[in-house]
Amino acid sequence: MVPQANPKALFRRRRTSRHPVKLTALLCLKEALVHERYEDCAFAIETAKEFGAQDFEIENLLEDARRNPV
């Protein structure tokens, strides 16, 4: 018998690890995006990835619906 996949398991958000440098870099990325300082974004992304940030964490910040260009 083939087990069925739980449909809710596919959309469950994975827990963000609590490494302080990674969280600080992600916060700096969010602040840079909000204040439209795009030259700071590359450094924040690089630092966050170096300390274990996953792609979905960065993509969630980059595609935030609250940042609608006017």
Side-chain angles (χ1 to χ4, degrees):
M1 179 163 29
V2 177
Q4 285 186 321
N6 184 0
K8 293 182 181 179
L10 297 175
F11 298 106
R12 188 179 326 153
R13 181 172 178 199
R14 292 181 272 176
R15 183 171 182 227
T16 303
S17 66
R18 298 182 184 263
H19 193 286
V21 177
K22 181 185 89 167
L23 292 175
T24 303
L26 290 173
L27 182 62
C28 289
L29 174 60
K30 183 177 179 179
E31 289 294 319
L33 290 169
V34 168
H35 296 293
E36 298 180 357
R37 295 184 314 224
Y38 301 115
E39 60 276 358
D40 298 339
C41 293
F43 179 72
I45 291 171
E46 182 181 319
T47 305
K49 282 190 167 268
E50 182 179 339
F51 286 94
Q54 299 198 3
D55 290 335
F56 77 92
E57 295 169 323
I58 295 170
E59 288 174 11
N60 286 344
L61 291 175
L62 293 176
E63 297 187 11
D64 189 1
R66 293 173 288 187
R67 286 189 335 104
N68 290 331
V70 179

Coordinates of all heavy atoms in Angstrom, one line a residue:
M1 N 0.8 -1.2 0.0 CA 0.0 0.0 0.0 C 0.9 1.2 0.0 O 1.9 1.3 0.7 CB -0.9 0.0 1.2 CG -1.8 1.2 1.3 SD -3.2 1.3 2.3 CE -3.0 0.3 3.7
V2 N 0.5 2.2 -0.8 CA 1.3 3.5 -0.9 C 0.7 4.5 0.1 O -0.5 4.8 0.0 CB 1.2 4.0 -2.3 CG1 1.9 5.4 -2.4 CG2 1.8 3.0 -3.3
P3 N 1.5 5.1 1.0 CA 1.0 6.0 1.9 C 0.7 7.4 1.2 O 1.3 7.8 0.3 CB 2.1 6.2 2.9 CG 3.3 5.8 2.2 CD 2.9 4.8 1.2
Q4 N -0.4 8.0 1.6 CA -0.8 9.3 1.1 C 0.0 10.4 1.7 O 0.3 10.4 2.9 CB -2.3 9.5 1.3 CG -3.2 8.7 0.4 CD -4.6 9.1 0.5 OE1 -5.0 9.4 1.6 NE2 -5.3 9.2 -0.6
A5 N 0.3 11.4 0.9 CA 1.0 12.6 1.4 C 0.0 13.5 2.1 O -1.1 13.6 1.6 CB 1.7 13.3 0.3
N6 N 0.4 14.1 3.2 CA -0.4 15.0 3.9 C -0.4 16.3 3.2 O 0.7 17.0 3.1 CB 0.1 15.2 5.3 CG -0.8 16.1 6.1 OD1 -1.8 16.6 5.7 ND2 -0.5 16.3 7.4
P7 N -1.5 16.8 2.6 CA -1.5 18.1 1.8 C -1.1 19.3 2.7 O -0.5 20.2 2.2 CB -2.9 18.2 1.3 CG -3.7 17.4 2.1 CD -2.8 16.3 2.7
K8 N -1.4 19.3 4.0 CA -1.0 20.4 4.8 C 0.5 20.4 5.1 O 1.1 21.5 5.4 CB -1.7 20.4 6.1 CG -3.2 20.6 6.0 CD -3.9 20.6 7.3 CE -5.4 20.8 7.1 NZ -6.1 20.8 8.3
A9 N 1.2 19.3 5.0 CA 2.6 19.2 5.2 C 3.4 19.9 4.2 O 4.5 20.4 4.4 CB 3.1 17.8 5.3
L10 N 2.9 20.1 3.0 CA 3.6 20.7 1.9 C 3.7 22.2 2.1 O 4.6 22.9 1.6 CB 2.9 20.4 0.5 CG 2.9 18.9 0.1 CD1 2.1 18.8 -1.2 CD2 4.3 18.4 -0.1
F11 N 2.7 22.8 2.8 CA 2.7 24.2 2.9 C 3.1 24.7 4.3 O 2.9 25.9 4.6 CB 1.3 24.8 2.6 CG 0.9 24.5 1.2 CD1 0.0 23.5 0.9 CD2 1.5 25.2 0.1 CE1 -0.4 23.2 -0.4 CE2 1.1 24.9 -1.2 CZ 0.2 23.9 -1.5
R12 N 3.5 23.8 5.1 CA 4.0 24.2 6.5 C 5.3 24.9 6.4 O 6.2 24.6 5.7 CB 4.2 22.9 7.3 CG 4.4 23.2 8.7 CD 4.6 21.9 9.6 NE 3.8 20.8 9.1 CZ 4.1 19.5 9.2 NH1 5.2 19.2 9.8 NH2 3.4 18.6 8.7
R13 N 5.3 26.0 7.1 CA 6.5 26.9 7.1 C 7.6 26.2 8.0 O 7.3 25.8 9.1 CB 6.2 28.3 7.6 CG 7.5 29.1 7.5 CD 7.2 30.5 7.8 NE 8.5 31.2 7.8 CZ 8.7 32.3 8.3 NH1 7.8 33.0 8.9 NH2 9.9 32.8 8.3
R14 N 8.8 26.1 7.4 CA 9.9 25.6 8.2 C 10.4 26.6 9.2 O 10.4 27.8 8.9 CB 11.0 25.1 7.2 CG 10.6 23.9 6.4 CD 11.7 23.5 5.5 NE 11.5 24.3 4.3 CZ 12.4 24.3 3.3 NH1 13.5 23.6 3.3 NH2 12.2 25.0 2.2
R15 N 10.8 26.1 10.3 CA 11.3 27.0 11.3 C 12.6 27.6 11.0 O 13.5 26.9 10.5 CB 11.4 26.2 12.6 CG 11.8 27.1 13.8 CD 11.7 26.3 15.1 NE 12.1 27.2 16.2 CZ 12.9 26.9 17.1 NH1 13.4 25.7 17.2 NH2 13.2 27.8 18.1
T16 N 12.8 28.9 11.2 CA 14.0 29.6 11.0 C 14.9 29.4 12.1 O 14.5 29.6 13.3 CB 13.7 31.1 10.8 OG1 12.8 31.3 9.7 CG2 15.0 31.8 10.5
S17 N 16.1 28.9 11.9 CA 17.1 28.7 13.0 C 17.4 30.1 13.6 O 17.3 31.1 12.9 CB 18.3 28.0 12.5 OG 19.0 28.8 11.6
R18 N 17.9 30.1 14.8 CA 18.0 31.3 15.5 C 19.5 31.7 15.6 O 19.9 32.2 16.7 CB 17.4 31.2 16.9 CG 15.9 30.9 16.9 CD 15.4 30.8 18.2 NE 14.0 30.5 18.2 CZ 13.0 31.4 18.2 NH1 13.3 32.7 18.4 NH2 11.7 31.1 18.2
H19 N 20.3 31.6 14.6 CA 21.6 32.0 14.6 C 21.6 33.6 14.6 O 21.0 34.2 13.7 CB 22.4 31.5 13.4 CG 23.9 31.7 13.5 ND1 24.5 32.9 13.4 CD2 24.9 30.8 13.8 CE1 25.8 32.8 13.5 NE2 26.0 31.5 13.8
P20 N 22.2 34.2 15.6 CA 22.1 35.7 15.7 C 22.6 36.5 14.5 O 22.0 37.5 14.1 CB 22.8 36.0 16.9 CG 23.6 34.8 17.3 CD 23.0 33.7 16.6
V21 N 23.7 36.0 13.9 CA 24.2 36.8 12.7 C 23.3 36.6 11.5 O 23.1 37.6 10.8 CB 25.7 36.3 12.4 CG1 26.2 37.0 11.2 CG2 26.6 36.5 13.6
K22 N 22.8 35.4 11.3 CA 21.8 35.2 10.2 C 20.6 36.0 10.4 O 20.1 36.7 9.4 CB 21.5 33.7 10.1 CG 20.5 33.4 8.9 CD 20.1 32.0 8.9 CE 18.9 31.9 9.7 NZ 18.2 30.6 9.6
L23 N 20.0 36.0 11.6 CA 18.8 36.8 11.8 C 19.1 38.3 11.6 O 18.3 39.0 11.1 CB 18.3 36.5 13.2 CG 17.7 35.1 13.4 CD1 17.3 34.9 14.9 CD2 16.6 34.9 12.5
T24 N 20.3 38.8 12.1 CA 20.6 40.2 11.9 C 20.8 40.5 10.4 O 20.3 41.6 10.0 CB 21.9 40.5 12.7 OG1 21.7 40.1 14.0 CG2 22.3 42.0 12.6
A25 N 21.4 39.6 9.7 CA 21.6 39.9 8.2 C 20.2 39.9 7.5 O 20.0 40.8 6.7 CB 22.5 38.8 7.6
L26 N 19.3 39.0 7.9 CA 18.0 39.0 7.3 C 17.2 40.3 7.7 O 16.5 40.9 6.9 CB 17.2 37.8 7.7 CG 17.7 36.5 7.1 CD1 16.9 35.3 7.7 CD2 17.5 36.5 5.6
L27 N 17.4 40.7 8.9 CA 16.7 42.0 9.3 C 17.3 43.2 8.6 O 16.6 44.1 8.1 CB 16.9 42.2 10.8 CG 16.2 43.4 11.4 CD1 14.7 43.4 11.2 CD2 16.6 43.5 12.9
C28 N 18.6 43.2 8.4 CA 19.3 44.3 7.6 C 18.8 44.3 6.1 O 18.6 45.3 5.6 CB 20.8 44.1 7.6 SG 21.5 44.5 9.2
L29 N 18.6 43.1 5.6 CA 18.0 42.9 4.2 C 16.6 43.5 4.2 O 16.3 44.3 3.3 CB 18.0 41.5 3.8 CG 17.3 41.2 2.5 CD1 18.0 41.9 1.3 CD2 17.3 39.7 2.2
K30 N 15.8 43.2 5.2 CA 14.4 43.8 5.2 C 14.5 45.3 5.3 O 13.7 46.0 4.6 CB 13.7 43.1 6.4 CG 12.3 43.6 6.5 CD 11.6 42.9 7.6 CE 10.1 43.3 7.7 NZ 9.4 42.7 8.8
E31 N 15.3 45.8 6.2 CA 15.4 47.3 6.3 C 15.9 47.9 5.1 O 15.4 49.0 4.7 CB 16.3 47.6 7.5 CG 15.7 47.3 8.8 CD 14.5 48.1 9.2 OE1 14.5 49.3 8.9 OE2 13.5 47.5 9.7
A32 N 16.9 47.3 4.4 CA 17.4 47.9 3.2 C 16.3 47.9 2.1 O 16.2 48.9 1.3 CB 18.6 47.1 2.7
L33 N 15.5 46.9 2.0 CA 14.5 46.8 1.0 C 13.4 47.9 1.3 O 12.9 48.5 0.4 CB 13.8 45.4 1.0 CG 14.7 44.3 0.4 CD1 14.1 43.0 0.6 CD2 14.9 44.6 -1.1
V34 N 13.0 48.0 2.6 CA 12.0 49.0 2.9 C 12.5 50.4 2.6 O 11.7 51.2 2.1 CB 11.6 48.8 4.4 CG1 10.8 50.0 4.9 CG2 10.9 47.5 4.7
H35 N 13.7 50.7 2.9 CA 14.3 52.0 2.7 C 14.9 52.2 1.3 O 15.5 53.2 1.0 CB 15.3 52.4 3.8 CG 14.7 52.4 5.1 ND1 13.8 53.4 5.5 CD2 14.9 51.6 6.2 CE1 13.4 53.2 6.8 NE2 14.1 52.1 7.2
E36 N 14.7 51.2 0.4 CA 15.1 51.2 -1.0 C 16.6 51.5 -1.1 O 17.1 52.2 -2.0 CB 14.3 52.2 -1.8 CG 12.9 51.9 -1.8 CD 12.0 52.9 -2.6 OE1 12.6 53.9 -3.1 OE2 10.8 52.7 -2.7
R37 N 17.4 50.9 -0.2 CA 18.9 50.9 -0.3 C 19.4 49.6 -0.9 O 19.9 48.7 -0.2 CB 19.5 51.1 1.1 CG 19.2 52.5 1.7 CD 19.9 52.6 3.0 NE 19.7 51.4 3.8 CZ 19.4 51.3 5.0 NH1 19.3 52.4 5.7 NH2 19.3 50.1 5.6
Y38 N 19.2 49.5 -2.2 CA 19.4 48.2 -2.9 C 20.9 47.8 -2.9 O 21.2 46.7 -3.1 CB 18.8 48.2 -4.3 CG 17.3 48.5 -4.2 CD1 16.8 49.7 -4.7 CD2 16.4 47.6 -3.6 CE1 15.4 49.9 -4.7 CE2 15.1 47.8 -3.5 CZ 14.6 49.0 -4.1 OH 13.2 49.2 -4.0
E39 N 21.8 48.8 -2.8 CA 23.2 48.5 -2.8 C 23.6 47.7 -1.6 O 24.6 47.0 -1.6 CB 24.0 49.8 -3.0 CG 23.9 50.8 -1.9 CD 22.7 51.7 -2.0 OE1 22.0 51.6 -3.1 OE2 22.5 52.5 -1.1
D40 N 22.9 47.8 -0.5 CA 23.2 47.0 0.7 C 22.6 45.6 0.7 O 23.0 44.8 1.5 CB 22.6 47.8 1.9 CG 23.2 49.2 2.1 OD1 24.3 49.4 1.6 OD2 22.6 50.0 2.8
C41 N 21.7 45.4 -0.2 CA 21.0 44.1 -0.2 C 22.0 42.9 -0.5 O 21.9 41.8 0.1 CB 19.9 44.1 -1.2 SG 18.5 45.2 -0.8
A42 N 22.9 43.1 -1.5 CA 23.8 42.0 -1.9 C 24.6 41.6 -0.7 O 24.8 40.4 -0.5 CB 24.6 42.5 -3.0
F43 N 25.1 42.5 0.1 CA 26.0 42.2 1.2 C 25.2 41.5 2.3 O 25.6 40.5 2.9 CB 26.6 43.5 1.8 CG 27.5 43.2 3.0 CD1 28.7 42.5 2.9 CD2 27.0 43.5 4.3 CE1 29.5 42.3 4.0 CE2 27.8 43.3 5.4 CZ 29.0 42.6 5.3
A44 N 23.9 41.9 2.5 CA 23.1 41.3 3.5 C 22.7 39.8 3.1 O 22.7 38.9 4.0 CB 21.8 42.1 3.8
I45 N 22.4 39.6 1.8 CA 22.1 38.3 1.4 C 23.3 37.4 1.5 O 23.2 36.2 1.9 CB 21.6 38.3 -0.1 CG1 20.2 39.0 -0.1 CG2 21.5 36.9 -0.7 CD1 19.7 39.3 -1.5
E46 N 24.5 37.9 1.1 CA 25.7 37.1 1.2 C 26.0 36.7 2.6 O 26.4 35.5 2.9 CB 26.9 37.9 0.6 CG 28.2 37.2 0.6 CD 29.3 38.1 0.0 OE1 29.0 38.8 -1.0 OE2 30.4 38.1 0.6
T47 N 25.9 37.6 3.5 CA 26.1 37.3 4.9 C 25.1 36.3 5.5 O 25.5 35.4 6.2 CB 26.1 38.6 5.8 OG1 27.0 39.6 5.2 CG2 26.5 38.4 7.2
A48 N 23.9 36.5 5.2 CA 22.8 35.6 5.7 C 23.1 34.2 5.1 O 23.0 33.2 5.9 CB 21.5 36.1 5.2
K49 N 23.4 34.0 3.9 CA 23.7 32.7 3.3 C 24.9 32.1 4.0 O 25.0 30.9 4.2 CB 23.9 32.8 1.8 CG 22.6 32.9 1.1 CD 22.8 32.7 -0.4 CE 21.5 32.5 -1.1 NZ 21.1 31.1 -1.2
E50 N 25.9 32.9 4.2 CA 27.1 32.4 4.9 C 26.8 31.8 6.2 O 27.5 30.8 6.6 CB 28.2 33.5 5.0 CG 29.5 33.1 5.6 CD 30.4 34.3 5.7 OE1 30.2 35.3 5.0 OE2 31.3 34.2 6.6
F51 N 25.9 32.3 6.9 CA 25.5 31.8 8.3 C 24.3 30.9 8.3 O 23.7 30.8 9.3 CB 25.4 33.0 9.2 CG 26.7 33.6 9.6 CD1 27.2 34.7 8.9 CD2 27.5 33.0 10.6 CE1 28.4 35.2 9.2 CE2 28.7 33.6 10.9 CZ 29.2 34.6 10.2
G52 N 23.9 30.4 7.1 CA 22.9 29.3 7.1 C 21.5 29.7 6.7 O 20.6 28.9 6.8
A53 N 21.3 30.9 6.1 CA 20.0 31.2 5.6 C 19.7 30.4 4.4 O 20.5 30.2 3.5 CB 19.9 32.7 5.3
Q54 N 18.4 30.0 4.3 CA 18.0 29.2 3.2 C 17.3 30.1 2.1 O 16.9 31.2 2.5 CB 17.1 28.1 3.6 CG 17.8 27.1 4.6 CD 17.1 25.8 4.8 OE1 16.1 25.5 4.1 NE2 17.7 25.0 5.6
D55 N 17.2 29.5 0.9 CA 16.7 30.3 -0.2 C 15.3 30.8 0.1 O 14.9 32.0 -0.2 CB 16.7 29.5 -1.5 CG 18.1 29.3 -2.0 OD1 19.0 30.2 -1.7 OD2 18.3 28.4 -2.7
F56 N 14.4 30.0 0.7 CA 13.0 30.4 1.0 C 13.0 31.6 2.0 O 12.1 32.4 1.9 CB 12.2 29.2 1.5 CG 12.4 28.9 2.9 CD1 11.6 29.4 3.9 CD2 13.3 27.9 3.3 CE1 11.7 29.0 5.2 CE2 13.5 27.6 4.6 CZ 12.7 28.1 5.6
E57 N 13.9 31.7 2.9 CA 13.9 32.8 3.8 C 14.2 34.1 3.1 O 13.6 35.1 3.4 CB 14.9 32.5 4.9 CG 14.6 31.3 5.8 CD 15.7 30.9 6.7 OE1 16.9 31.0 6.3 OE2 15.4 30.5 7.8
I58 N 15.1 34.1 2.2 CA 15.5 35.3 1.5 C 14.4 35.6 0.5 O 14.0 36.8 0.3 CB 16.8 35.1 0.8 CG1 17.9 34.9 1.9 CG2 17.2 36.2 -0.2 CD1 19.3 34.5 1.3
E59 N 13.8 34.6 -0.2 CA 12.8 34.9 -1.2 C 11.5 35.5 -0.5 O 10.9 36.3 -1.1 CB 12.4 33.6 -1.9 CG 13.5 33.2 -2.9 CD 13.2 31.8 -3.5 OE1 12.1 31.3 -3.4 OE2 14.1 31.3 -4.2
N60 N 11.2 35.0 0.7 CA 10.1 35.6 1.4 C 10.3 37.1 1.6 O 9.3 37.9 1.6 CB 9.9 34.9 2.7 CG 9.3 33.5 2.6 OD1 8.8 33.2 1.5 ND2 9.4 32.7 3.6
L61 N 11.5 37.5 1.9 CA 11.7 39.0 2.1 C 11.7 39.7 0.8 O 11.2 40.8 0.7 CB 13.1 39.2 2.8 CG 13.1 38.7 4.3 CD1 14.6 38.9 4.8 CD2 12.2 39.5 5.1
L62 N 12.3 39.1 -0.2 CA 12.3 39.8 -1.5 C 11.0 40.0 -2.2 O 10.7 40.9 -2.9 CB 13.3 39.1 -2.5 CG 14.7 39.1 -2.1 CD1 15.5 38.2 -3.1 CD2 15.3 40.5 -2.1
E63 N 10.1 39.0 -1.9 CA 8.8 39.0 -2.5 C 7.7 39.4 -1.6 O 6.5 39.0 -1.7 CB 8.5 37.7 -3.2 CG 9.4 37.4 -4.3 CD 9.1 36.1 -5.0 OE1 8.0 35.6 -4.9 OE2 9.9 35.7 -5.8
D64 N 8.0 40.3 -0.6 CA 7.0 40.7 0.4 C 5.9 41.5 -0.3 O 6.3 42.5 -1.0 CB 7.7 41.5 1.5 CG 6.8 41.8 2.7 OD1 5.7 41.3 2.7 OD2 7.3 42.5 3.6
A65 N 4.7 41.2 0.0 CA 3.6 41.9 -0.7 C 3.4 43.3 -0.2 O 2.8 44.2 -0.9 CB 2.3 41.1 -0.4
R66 N 4.0 43.7 0.9 CA 3.9 45.0 1.5 C 4.8 46.0 0.7 O 4.7 47.2 0.9 CB 4.2 45.0 2.9 CG 3.1 44.3 3.7 CD 3.5 44.2 5.2 NE 4.6 43.2 5.2 CZ 5.1 42.7 6.3 NH1 4.7 43.2 7.5 NH2 6.1 41.8 6.3
R67 N 5.7 45.5 -0.1 CA 6.6 46.4 -0.8 C 6.2 46.5 -2.2 O 6.8 46.1 -3.2 CB 8.0 45.8 -0.8 CG 8.8 45.8 0.4 CD 10.2 45.4 0.2 NE 10.5 44.5 -0.9 CZ 11.0 44.9 -2.0 NH1 11.4 46.1 -2.3 NH2 11.3 44.0 -3.0
N68 N 5.1 47.2 -2.4 CA 4.5 47.4 -3.8 C 5.1 48.6 -4.4 O 5.0 49.7 -3.8 CB 3.0 47.5 -3.7 CG 2.3 46.2 -3.4 OD1 2.9 45.1 -3.7 ND2 1.2 46.3 -2.8
P69 N 5.8 48.5 -5.5 CA 6.3 49.7 -6.2 C 5.1 50.6 -6.7 O 4.1 50.1 -7.2 CB 7.1 49.2 -7.3 CG 6.7 47.8 -7.5 CD 6.1 47.3 -6.3
V70 N 5.3 51.9 -6.5 CA 4.2 52.8 -6.9 C 4.4 53.3 -8.3 O 5.5 53.5 -8.8 CB 4.1 54.0 -5.9 CG1 3.0 54.9 -6.3 CG2 3.8 53.4 -4.5

